[in-house]
Amino acid sequence: MPQAAPPQHPSGALDTKDILAVLESEKISVFFQPVVSVRAKGIVGFEAFSRSVSGEGARLDAHDLFGQEWDPETRLRLCRLCRRKALEAFRPIFGHHQQMLLFLNTDGGALSASSKPGHLEALSQGMNIPGKRIVIELERPCLSSPEVARFVAYYRERGFGLSIDVGGNMDLPAEEIFALRPDFIKFDRAMFVEAQGQEFKRDMVRSLCRLGERLGCVVLAKNVESEDEALHLLELGVNHQQGYYY
């Protein structure tokens, strides 16, 4: 199974011609990173990461692909392409391990170009992967948009899961989290590395765990890179983790 690895970034930002070439060629590779329960010593699912290759041969990661100011229609085409490729790559895994979850990134900023939800549902049905095994993952800054609210409501009614990635920011989007009520809340390593002498980081993680308990959702640390980090997170109450360490 391809594992997510740090990409080589191209020398400059992609332009419209580059991204249209990616869309036409559909040269998207998918890499999986396991999401683990440390205490259960088991994998609960995988997050899918999309990669491509520039015209110069440099590997492109999600930031290269989605971090540019593409128009909403282009962003939607790219998001749908990456989700389809992820589902195609996950299908043989699911065939042997039907309890696994697929964490599937969705570009909230692209949803304004969609006339109505349903594309992802059609893909999952076509590949015989039930919605209850798919966790839609959303990031800032689009969590409060009406398009995201409509999208989330549509898929929650159909059994899909929801994960909100709050990144490593110290200011949590509490209002959006309470409104969307996700199944998972992910946070980045900026909130748990170099915590020695920075008690506010410990407090933030513990506060996030209390928020998760109140909402009945799982708090998950991402980009865990060492055993020490994994054990430190366990001490703070974070059992579910992902990163290069795993």
Side-chain angles (χ1 to χ4, degrees), residues 138-143 164-174:
L138 293 167
E139 298 181 352
R140 288 171 161 177
C142 302
L143 297 177
I164 291 179
D165 186 344
V166 301
N169 294 321
M170 297 298 116
D171 57 324
L172 297 177

Side-chain angles (χ1 to χ4, degrees), residues 7-205:
Q8 298 173 340
H9 289 276
S11 56
L14 300 182
D15 58 24
T16 303
K17 180 180 178 181
D18 295 325
I19 200 63
L20 290 178
V22 171
L23 291 169
E24 289 298 322
S25 68
E26 297 193 351
K27 288 185 178 179
I28 295 290
S29 299
V30 176
F31 297 83
F32 291 106
Q33 189 173 79
V35 173
V36 305
S37 168
V38 179
R39 292 192 179 95
K41 299 180 180 179
I43 297 173
V44 299
F46 297 91
E47 180 175 349
F49 292 89
S50 297
R51 301 283 189 263
S52 190
V53 179
S54 73
E56 300 173 352
R59 289 177 62 190
L60 308 173
D61 68 357
H63 176 75
D64 300 313
L65 294 171
F66 291 97
Q68 314 299 327
E69 294 296 325
W70 313 126
D71 61 84
E73 290 77 13
T74 300
R75 292 174 69 170
L76 182 63
R77 287 181 63 194
L78 182 59
C79 180
R80 286 178 168 178
L81 171 61
C82 291
R83 290 190 311 197
R84 173 166 60 82
K85 292 288 188 177
L87 284 164
E88 289 172 350
F90 180 69
R91 181 163 51 176
I93 299 173
F94 178 74
H96 291 91
H97 306 281
Q98 297 196 1
Q99 79 283 6
M100 290 294 163
L101 298 172
L102 173 63
F103 289 78
L104 197 58
N105 289 285
T106 292
D107 180 3
L111 297 178
S112 62
S114 176
S115 59
K116 61 180 181 179
H119 183 268
L120 175 57
E121 180 185 23
L123 282 176
S124 67
Q125 289 176 347
M127 298 188 197
N128 295 316
I129 302 174
K132 65 181 181 180
R133 307 320 303 171
I134 298 172
V135 181
I136 296 168
E137 188 157 320
L138 293 167
E139 298 181 352
R140 288 171 161 177
C142 302
L143 297 177
S144 59
S145 75
E147 292 85 7
V148 164
R150 180 182 63 167
F151 177 86
V152 168
Y154 180 92
Y155 281 103
R156 295 309 294 267
E157 289 174 358
R158 287 155 178 78
F160 287 69
L162 176 65
S163 174
I164 291 179
D165 186 344
V166 301
N169 294 321
M170 297 298 116
D171 57 324
L172 297 177
E175 184 176 348
E176 290 88 345
I177 289 173
F178 272 97
L180 296 174
R181 305 189 74 85
D183 302 288
F184 295 85
I185 301 174
K186 289 189 180 185
F187 65 96
D188 212 340
R189 59 186 289 104
M191 290 179 62
F192 62 83
V193 296
E194 300 177 356
Q196 189 70 26
Q198 300 187 60
E199 289 300 318
F200 71 93
K201 289 190 174 183
R202 294 173 178 265
D203 292 342
M204 284 294 297
V205 174

